[in-house]
Amino acid sequence: MSYQDEELPDSTLQALALALKPAELSESVRRRLRERVLQQAHEVASTGTFTVRAGEAAWIEIAPFIQMKLLRRDQAAGNQTVLMRMQPGGIVPPHRHAHEEEFLVLEGECCIGDLQLRAGDAHIAAAGSWHEAVTTRTGVLVLLRGEYPLPCTG
C-alpha cells in the first residue's frame, strides 16, 4: 500500500510520535535556532504593508548641509514621506506649499522663520501657505510628509 498522496493512519502517527526522542541540543545551537526562527517571523510583513529598513534607503544630498532619505513616494497622489537631516548652517529657502505638509522634529532643533521647533514638535503647513526659511544652529532630523515634487521656492 502506498501513502504517497494519502494521510497516514492515526495509529501509525501515534506510533511514530511515541518512538521519537527529543534531540539533545547544546545551548549555542538552541540560541542560533531561536534567533533564526525569530528573524524569519519578523521578516514577514502583513499584507498591504511595507517596511523600509534603516540601511536600505540612501541619504541624498539635496543642498549644502542638507540630506534627504526617501521613505515613500506616491506620484499619483503627489506626495511623499522623507527624512531630512540638516547640519548646522543648512538652510531650506522660503517656499509655498501646494499641498499640506507635516513636519515632525525627531532630533535636534530648527527654526521656521522665527518659530523655534524642538524634538517632538510637529508643524503643519496648510495647502497654499508660505514657509519662511528653515534653519538650524544645532543640526536637526525631521520626518516630512508633503508634496512631490518638492515645493517651489520664491
Side-chain angles (χ1 to χ4, degrees):
M1 179 178 206
S2 170
Y3 294 105
Q4 189 173 2
D5 294 326
E6 299 176 25
E7 289 185 25
L8 292 172
D10 285 343
S11 60
T12 304
L13 291 174
Q14 287 176 348
L16 286 171
L18 291 172
L20 291 175
K21 294 184 180 175
E24 295 297 325
L25 300 176
S26 69
E27 184 59 34
S28 65
V29 170
R30 270 185 206 274
R31 189 172 44 253
R32 284 196 317 265
L33 285 172
R34 183 177 189 279
E35 288 172 6
R36 212 162 74 195
V37 168
L38 288 174
Q39 180 182 11
Q40 289 175 0
H42 289 296
E43 289 178 356
V44 178
S46 300
T47 303
T49 69
F50 70 96
T51 301
V52 179
R53 302 272 182 209
E56 289 177 348
W59 286 98
I60 300 164
E61 188 159 343
I62 61 167
F65 307 110
I66 303 174
Q67 295 177 318
M68 197 171 277
K69 181 188 279 196
L70 177 65
L71 302 177
R72 183 198 61 83
R73 180 174 288 153
D74 184 343
Q75 291 181 328
N79 64 47
Q80 61 185 351
T81 303
V82 300
L83 287 172
M84 183 176 70
R85 182 168 54 197
M86 293 176 61
Q87 297 172 4
I91 299 173
V92 174
H95 54 276
R96 183 168 306 284
H97 288 282
H99 303 283
E100 182 179 83
E101 177 185 82
E102 298 168 356
F103 184 104
L104 175 64
V105 180
L106 301 174
E107 297 174 358
E109 299 177 358
C110 67
C111 291
I112 300 176
D114 292 331
L115 177 66
Q116 186 170 18
L117 300 169
R118 295 179 177 87
D121 291 345
H123 179 74
I124 311 300
S129 66
W130 178 256
H131 245 172
E132 295 300 326
V134 180
T135 60
T136 180
R137 290 180 299 149
T138 63
V140 70
L141 176 66
V142 299
L143 177 70
L144 286 169
R145 184 175 180 280
E147 62 202 88
Y148 171 78
L150 294 174
C152 299
T153 59

